Amino acid sequence: MRLRLTEFRPRTGPRTHRVVQPRTPLRHTSLRDPEDTYGVLIGDHDGLNRLAGLFSFAACSRHTIVHVPLRDGVPPDEGRGEPVDLVLAHPEAGLRPGGWPELRRRLGRGTPLTVRTDEARTARARLDRPYAATTLRHTTHACTYFLIGGRSAFASAATAFALAAGRGPRHPCAAEGRAAFVTCLSGELAPDPGLRRHPEIVIAFKPYPPYAHFRRPGR
């Protein structure tokens, strides 16, 4: 997949960070704060497909912070919790959630960047070395949900988003303009001792309004 991004090189103290964002926003994709109960991510085909690409890119980019602004899109009419942005990073990127607000303020204008992801490589990363499989640490800070972890967990999440983008439009609920719950991120997320249940992010497909434009594949 080809991803059109904007690249930033903000500096905090002695360190220069590499941050990328989608060049155009995911207008019809939203994430409800998973720290409340469980997270709900609802997106149209474009949003879910691009998230699959962004997670795939994050899996192979240990020193890059992937920032996905989601709060400025079309407000969702389903799900509970506050809308949040999304940040993906490896520990090697040196990102502290508490330092994100300052880093975000320093992003500036940025420069265009186009990258290609390798879906076959992502699939291999999800399956290779199962004994070394990792989970994603997660927290919410400054209206942003952070996922910090390793290659295999990001690759597994990329596969889940690709599945949702492919199967979601075929779900009967989609033709009625309702969210179709397709899959979730659960095993990819690290357990949280403070929660009574294992953390989970439900991934749902929903066509963008007006729904008259949408036709289920094969119809």
Side-chain angles (χ1 to χ4, degrees):
M1 177 190 298
R2 185 169 68 171
L3 293 173
R4 293 182 173 87
L5 308 172
T6 301
E7 181 183 35
F8 307 89
R9 293 281 185 170
R11 186 179 183 87
T12 55
R15 180 162 191 163
T16 299
H17 298 268
R18 185 191 189 214
V19 181
V20 299
Q21 294 176 351
R23 197 179 308 172
T24 56
L26 283 62
R27 282 187 45 78
H28 300 283
T29 301
S30 65
L31 173 62
R32 297 286 193 171
D33 185 0
E35 296 300 308
D36 286 348
T37 51
Y38 64 94
V40 178
L41 190 147
I42 301 177
D44 62 356
H45 182 269
D46 174 70
L48 296 176
N49 197 45
R50 284 204 279 162
L51 280 172
L54 290 165
F55 271 83
S56 179
F57 175 74
C60 300
S61 305
R62 293 189 302 161
H63 300 282
T64 300
I65 299 166
V66 179
H67 176 217
V68 189
L70 295 174
R71 290 180 294 155
D72 295 334
V74 177
D77 56 3
E78 297 187 53
R80 295 186 300 171
E82 291 297 318
V84 290
D85 294 337
L86 179 63
V87 164
L88 317 175
H90 288 248
E92 292 88 339
L95 174 66
R96 294 181 300 103
W100 173 246
E102 179 184 359
L103 190 61
R104 183 171 54 192
R105 286 193 296 269
R106 294 174 179 264
L107 291 184
R109 292 177 60 88
T111 57
L113 173 70
T114 300
V115 300
R116 286 190 177 275
T117 60
D118 185 338
E119 282 66 33
R121 181 183 180 189
T122 300
R124 289 195 301 271
R126 182 175 68 91
L127 299 174
D128 285 351
R129 299 188 299 171
Y131 56 86
T134 60
T135 54
L136 300 170
R137 292 186 288 114
H138 47 93
T139 189
T140 301
H141 181 74
C143 299
T144 305
Y145 185 61
F146 296 86
L147 291 174
I148 300 175
R151 178 183 177 188
S152 61
F154 281 127
S156 179
T159 302
F161 281 105
L163 176 73
R167 291 187 179 177
R170 301 179 182 276
H171 197 285
C173 290
E176 302 171 4
R178 295 185 289 119
F181 296 94
V182 182
T183 186
C184 69
L185 301 183
S186 181
E188 295 86 355
L189 304 179
D192 187 338
L195 296 178
R196 297 178 62 181
R197 53 173 291 172
H198 191 85
E200 181 179 20
I201 300 176
V202 174
I203 303 174
F205 168 83
K206 185 173 184 177
Y208 63 85
Y211 303 118
H213 81 279
F214 179 75
R215 294 290 184 274
R216 287 175 61 194
R219 293 296 180 91

